[in-house]
Amino acid sequence: MASPGRQGGGGGGGALSTRGGSGARRMKWALELSLGNTRSRGDRQGGQGDVVYPIGYSEKPVPDTSIQETDKNLVEKRCWDVALGPLKQIPMNLFIMYMSGNTISIFPIMMVCMMAWRPIQALMSMSATFKLLESSSQQWLQGLVYLVGNLLGSALAIYKCQSMGLLPTHSSDWLAFIEPPQRMEILGGGMVL
Amino acid sequence: ATTAMAKLILLCLKFVTLCGSIGAVFEDQVGKFDWRQQYVGKVRFSHFDTHVQSSKKVLVATENNVFAALNTRTGDLFWRHVDKTGPEGSIDALLQHGQDAVLVVGNGRLLRSWDINVGGLNWEIVLDSGSFQAACLSGQQDNVKHVAVLKKTVISLHYLSNGHQKWIENLPESETVDYQAVYSGGNGEVYALGVVPHSHIAIVVYSADDGEIIKQVSVEAPWLSNIQGSCAVISQGMLTCVDPAAVSLYMLDLHAESQMTQVPLQSLGLEVVPGFRPVLVSTQPNPAQQPLSEFFVQLGPENYVLLQLNNGQIVTLRDFKPAMLVSFVTAGEKTVAAVMSPKNKTVNQSDTSNENDHFLTTACSINLFSAETGRRLLDTTMIYSLDPNVGKPEKLYVQAFLKKDDAVGYRVMVHSEDHALSFLQQPGRVMWTREEALSDVVTMEMVDLPLTGTQAELEGEFGKKADGLMSMVLKRLSSQLILLQAWIAHLWKLFYDARKPRSQVKNDVTIENLSRDEFNLQKMMVMVTASGKLFGIDSKTGSILWKHYLEDVPSNAAFKLMVQRTTAHFPHPPQCSLIIKDKDTGLATLHVFNPIFGKKSHVTPPALPQPILQSLMLPLMDQDYAKVLLLVDDQYKVSAFPSTKNVLQQLQEMASSIFFFLIDSSQGRLSGYRLRTDLSTELIWEVVIPTEVQKIVSVKGKRPNEHVHSQGRVMGDRSVLYKYLNPNLLALVTESTDQHQERSFIGIILIDGVTGRIIHEAVQRKAKGPVHVVHSENWVVYEYWSTKSRRNEFSVIELYEGMELYNSTVFSSLDRPHAPQVLQQSYIFPSAISTMEATLTEKGITSRHLLIGLPSGGILSLPKMFLDPRRPEMVSEQSREENLIPYAPELLIRTEWFINYNQTVSRVRGIYTAPSGLESTCLVVAYGLDIYQTRVYPSKQFDVLKDDYDYMLISSVLFALFFATMISKRLAEVKLLNRAWR
């Protein structure tokens, strides 16, 4: 059966249509209650033609809410993955640190910024992560591991800053803030005129 | 080793290119931020160029050993020759003939002839030794061919064309006779006139052809002691002398062997002012002819008489009374006398105590009189109005010319006692004025300009103290209103000027429209000159905005200029104080003035009956925001100025922390004193440097307005080496009295002025002065002549506290247990130097440069980083981290370091630096014979957009982007809406 195209003429009965003869004018709205045969999913994607769905049909898949029933171990594993994520990044960071060197230029600075920013970001969104880990039985341990991993990551970034000389740890870094000492005596004079 | 060397050199080069922080000026920047004024000095001899009718030249030979030609239309220099300073280059005589000018230089050492037109040297010969007495041109039959030079024991005749000596003869009896004058009347004879004081006149007549003595006469003249001061030759060889004791003229015919005839002045009906020594003024228009028979006798300070010798009889032609100055001048065949007389006098109200200066002359008139008859020439009056701030006229130089109708026209150059030259034209228009006093600047200061001119004018209103709340409020409101008005006017002017093309906007700076610019780059230069004339010069243009002549300043006076109040305390006018000390009597006077307008302040300076030894400016202020000046007299008592109750109270509170030091170079004594509450002093320390071994040459403290931003230096390992910033530290320079090159030495002593503790002492053996020192921050740089290696050397001393600060909040010299670390390094400098100063900036962030005045006339800006005792011999990682240049003994002079490009500054004696409102910029004034002002940027202009910054491009791009965003935003909106409708 020929499917009623958008441009096509009215199909079966019961179709409410206010279509004009030409394609130039479009209708504000159109409701078609065609009872044509349902098409397969692949067919719908492939074809340009309109598909008429039943009212209430959603194109998106409805999330599966039956997860509670899956294996508990899988949840545990997933949570450990989340918790160990920062720690796993550390070797990678170490390698980047080694490669970027201690010179102060745009790329090492960017790397250091990234390295410092990621753990901080993670620490900021700690509560969200905890929510994620809620389902796990070892929630607190995992949270601790996650925290330690991030702290280690930021410590690594600080160490990198230190080795690049970006931390104001030396007395020379505070030199500009030393006020000139106030003089206690007033002195004047010179050669006898 | 060679690779290491190569590396080192490479590194060196790298650093040198890195440190080339001063770019020389670009071509289009020439004269934009800098200006130069060239001077000649106090005029000793002057001649108008007469050999061409329409000549515009006037030749001047000055006491500063300068020989120059000035343009009479503008006063600018045509050319200038600067000779050696001191007696070696002094100009003893200037003779002019045609287009040649003959100079005797260096007490008769050299005879030079210059071409007037181009200023080129015709010839120069070395004369035989002997002190110079006199010189004259000698001619025969209207032809001047020779110049005669009289010395103590010999007389010589030289050709004018090439300087070759025609003959030289010993003077007879030169042990007893003091030959003082030489005369030639154009008849082929040269007369040497000598005197045995209080005995007789000796006349020796030489033949100009071969130097043979034609005649030798001795005439009794027991009353005569000096020919040059009291005699003149007039008419056909009549030696005329004036005897102040007998009040009479003596006349002697040089041709005839006769007695002197006495003509009492009283017999001519003339009277000499008692106590005045009469002076003769004669003229010899052409050296190949006889002098005129008319001459002037000055009978009193303001009385001249024109006399004529007529057939052996003296006739009075005209009595000029009052007349201040007279001068003969010849135009063509006519000789006229120019007489300057005071025109109108007003009673000087302020100075009635001095009876001689009862009257104040406000204008002078100059008239021409015929020399032959004494009649006044018509239409020759010239009025010269005297500025009260200018010295009295001292000498007249007249340029006469014949007009088309054969009448005599003239112009006058007036030389006044403040060394100014004014050129006048009829009927009294001053064509130009040259302030030659500026060739001898002694000291100077730069003062900030007031915010606006109106504000400065308001200051007069606020000088008086207001009482009552209401009147204060009203005054405040009215002043604010005036300020608002001025601001609106300023805005209007800005708007108005912006529409005009740039070339039409005239920036005439006058005292009325003086105002500070945005970055405080324009300041008032207050200059004190040796003649006692003070100048206020606009630093931007170099125009003289005010001048003030202080009369009765002794020639050997010592000056000290201090700024007591700046322009920052608005209702109160700025105030400067100048101490003028007579070195003979030790007595000092204080001149208090407003540095912006040059006017004498209303504040009465204290009377100083005691000789003054020194002064010190305290950071204390009185209630009118004037800094307190303490004057120390020879009893070591202190007087304060201003000395209001408030000040005395403050002084009593502060007394225990006020110290001063005095250095008596003649006794080699350094002493430190502390102020007591009763304004007496107590000696707290004394150091004696034995004068038999060495003498103290100079002492340098730190400049009070110097700021040091960084308290330490960052090392390679990022630790800090703290600077030893002792504000009381003095650098003392001594030179050995033994000048032998093997034994001479110079010493540098760093001494704390409060405690007298010697911080460091360095002796440079086999070295000689003059030593030039700069003392700033924590370093001392000095330059000397090394007699051992025969070269100029620089040495730098830096003082450090170490890795820790002892006390970071206060500095007290009395509480300093640790001695500082001292580092020193020396370098070879390829040139001698004249003077040295360090740049100075507002906050002290900008790196420092040394400004070095070279004898060649260049001013070199040498980065201080080249003079750094931490420069390593071997380069290490740490020294590289610290940006230290590896040590190299030679300091190079790079041509782009000359801040004055081709603007040679002759005989630089001093360099003054002042901070501007921009941290990057330091204002520099170099003074000597010339004055040069410029700006330097030791760390480049990091806080200013470049001169060639493309405002148009940037703003057009900005606007384009702005409009593009606006348009695209609109477009995006439309598109979104359309899509929404779809």
Side-chain angles (χ1 to χ4, degrees), chain B residues 859-879:
Chain B
I859 296 167
L860 193 75
S861 181
L862 179 71
K864 166 70 180 58
M865 66 192 301
F866 282 95
L867 297 167
D868 180 356
R870 295 183 38 79
R871 281 175 69 173
E873 283 186 44
M874 291 308 290
V875 184
S876 67
E877 190 63 45
Q878 295 221 339
S879 71

Side-chain angles (χ1 to χ4, degrees), chain B residues 901-952:
Chain B
Y901 47 105
N902 65 352
Q903 306 272 309
T904 308
V905 189
S906 291
R907 289 198 199 141
V908 190
R909 259 183 295 108
I911 294 176
Y912 179 88
T913 52
S916 72
L918 285 174
E919 173 54 32
S920 66
T921 311
C922 168
L923 303 175
V924 178
V925 181
Y927 54 88
L929 187 62
D930 301 339
I931 295 175
Y932 181 74
Q933 190 278 141
T934 190
R935 303 173 189 168
V936 290
Y937 319 100
S939 301
K940 287 193 176 173
Q941 282 181 284
F942 57 81
D943 49 4
V944 179
L945 289 179
K946 275 203 182 106
D947 234 17
D948 54 355
Y949 186 78
D950 203 339
Y951 292 94
M952 274 308 287

Side-chain angles (χ1 to χ4, degrees), chain B residues 719-776:
Chain B
S719 59
V720 177
L721 187 59
Y722 288 99
K723 296 172 182 172
Y724 179 75
L725 295 166
N726 183 350
N728 307 319
L729 193 70
L730 309 171
L732 213 73
V733 182
T734 62
E735 281 178 25
S736 64
T737 42
D738 190 350
Q739 287 295 308
H740 188 271
Q741 62 168 9
E742 285 294 313
R743 294 186 294 272
S744 68
F745 65 89
I746 59 156
I748 291 275
I749 301 168
L750 302 181
I751 191 166
D752 189 303
V754 170
T755 59
R757 181 180 175 193
I758 292 177
I759 306 286
H760 180 65
E761 200 171 359
V763 170
Q764 218 84 36
R765 294 199 185 283
K766 293 181 186 173
K768 229 159 89 171
V771 183
H772 301 274
V773 203
V774 173
H775 181 193
S776 180

Side-chain angles (χ1 to χ4, degrees), chain B residues 702-708 775-778 840-841 848:
Chain B
K702 281 174 186 156
R703 293 181 60 167
N705 57 347
E706 177 183 280
H707 293 276
V708 184
H775 181 193
S776 180
E777 289 189 20
N778 64 329
L840 194 66
T841 51
R848 309 293 294 271

Side-chain angles (χ1 to χ4, degrees), chain A residues 78-145:
Chain A
R78 178 87 192 110
C79 286
W80 273 118
D81 270 355
V82 171
L84 288 171
L87 275 176
K88 279 180 184 160
Q89 270 181 4
I90 284 175
M92 179 65 173
N93 280 350
L94 276 170
F95 180 69
I96 292 173
M97 265 170 65
Y98 171 72
M99 289 304 284
S100 60
N102 279 344
T103 50
I104 295 184
S105 60
I106 183 81
F107 284 105
I109 292 279
M110 270 163 64
M111 303 243 179
V112 169
C113 283
M114 292 275 282
M115 274 168 65
W117 182 239
R118 234 181 294 157
I120 289 167
Q121 213 174 13
L123 288 175
M124 300 253 271
S125 55
M126 199 63 183
S127 55
T129 321
F130 256 78
K131 212 163 265 172
L132 211 69
L133 300 176
E134 237 167 22
S135 51
S136 163
S137 56
Q138 292 164 303
Q139 186 193 359
W140 292 107
L141 181 69
Q142 284 164 347
L144 194 73
V145 169

